Amino acid sequence: MMVKSRSAALLSRLNRRLLVLTCYAGYLLMTLAWTLLEQPWRWFAVIPLGMVSILAMGLLMMPALLGVSDGADNLLDERQVQLRNEGYVWAYRLLGTAVILSALYLMIASGSSWWLPRTELALQAVFWGVWGLAITLPTAVIAWREPDSSKEE
């Protein structure tokens, strides 16, 4: 099966990196806005940030649109498979580090006055944040690291 050229990619490396930053920073800003802002102003920040974050997350779940090497082995050439595998290794290293640091934070916070998610809303924010990170991180790492196709040719 022939592999499509990455020259058909719609986003440059810079734009892919901006998409990754938008996805994760948007979610963090949305969560902070929900927590810190008072009721009438909360929605003016949370709704646009939420929409932007969800759109960025959706785009990160479409590697073909990004023009990155993230797919089944039989659809990729050897170089693309290597890039994909390296991206997955980095993604799982980052996710593993985040899990270990989160566990460490929970151990310290449970014995002190640090913030812990105790309400249903806070638990939901943590759950959806972890879910979004886990589902998008492999493609996000590949999109971040993969060079523009024009520089390779």
Side-chain angles (χ1 to χ4, degrees), residues 78-135:
E78 293 171 4
R79 181 195 59 80
Q80 291 172 321
V81 169
Q82 182 181 1
L83 286 172
R84 184 209 52 203
N85 291 345
E86 288 174 7
Y88 274 47
V89 166
W90 275 104
Y92 292 121
R93 283 180 184 157
L94 291 170
L95 195 57
T97 302
V99 167
I100 290 170
L101 290 176
S102 298
L104 180 63
Y105 177 86
L106 287 173
M107 289 188 317
I108 295 170
S110 64
S112 67
S113 61
W114 290 6
W115 179 86
L116 280 174
R118 299 188 197 284
T119 65
E120 182 179 345
L121 186 61
L123 289 169
Q124 289 242 358
V126 170
F127 171 79
W128 290 113
V130 170
W131 178 83
L133 181 67
I135 201 163

Side-chain angles (χ1 to χ4, degrees), residues 1-69:
M1 181 174 260
M2 288 295 292
V3 178
K4 279 183 125 178
S5 170
R6 288 187 324 125
S7 62
L10 299 177
L11 298 176
S12 67
R13 184 181 202 179
L14 174 65
N15 288 335
R16 290 191 312 262
R17 287 181 170 187
L18 288 173
L19 180 66
V20 170
L21 291 173
T22 300
C23 178
Y24 299 129
Y27 184 79
L28 288 174
L29 289 173
M30 179 186 65
T31 305
L32 285 172
W34 181 266
T35 305
L36 300 177
L37 295 178
E38 294 298 319
Q39 193 55 265
W41 301 107
R42 179 182 294 169
W43 295 106
F44 291 112
V46 169
I47 290 173
L49 286 169
M51 290 172 58
V52 167
S53 296
I54 289 171
L55 177 64
M57 186 178 291
L59 290 172
L60 279 177
M61 290 192 283
M62 293 188 277
L65 176 70
L66 300 175
V68 296
S69 306

